[in-house]
Amino acid sequence: MKFYLLTAQSITQAQHMQRALEKVGLRSQIVRAHPSISQGGCGYALQILCGDLTAVLLTLRWASVEPERVYLYQNGTYQEVTL
C-alpha cells in the first residue's frame, strides 16, 4: 500500500486539515503518527491515498492549516517529501 502522511502538531490541527479537504471533496483519515516520524512520539497525521498531493497541499495552504511534514509510505518505509 502506498499513501501520504501529513503530520500535525495536534489532533485539533489534524481535524482542521481534514475538514478543509472534505470541503473540496478530498478524502482523508486521521491516524496516530508512527513514532519514527512524530516529534515526541505521540503525534497525529492525516493519511491520504496517493493522488494529487499538489491539490491537497494547495487546499491546506488556502485554508491556513499546513502540515508540519509530509511523508510517503511505501514498501514498509517512510520517506519525507521535500516541499
Side-chain angles (χ1 to χ4, degrees):
M1 181 174 224
K2 183 176 168 181
F3 55 84
Y4 290 106
L5 283 177
L6 286 65
T7 61
Q9 294 175 353
S10 65
I11 184 71
T12 304
Q13 182 187 14
Q15 291 167 335
H16 286 301
M17 289 192 301
Q18 185 178 45
R19 278 193 290 270
L21 295 176
E22 285 175 351
K23 287 181 181 179
V24 296
L26 298 170
R27 299 185 71 206
S28 62
Q29 179 178 358
I30 297 173
V31 296
R32 293 296 301 254
H34 190 274
S36 66
I37 65 168
S38 67
Q39 295 178 351
C42 58
Y44 289 89
L46 213 55
Q47 181 177 321
I48 312 248
L49 294 180
C50 285
D52 190 357
L53 181 62
T54 302
V56 168
L57 295 175
L58 286 174
T59 299
L60 295 176
R61 183 171 293 147
W62 180 79
S64 299
V65 286
E66 295 183 64
E68 290 185 313
R69 294 190 173 135
V70 178
Y71 293 90
L72 173 63
Y73 176 84
Q74 66 180 2
N75 301 324
T77 62
Y78 296 94
Q79 180 179 0
E80 187 169 2
V81 175
T82 305
L83 304 176

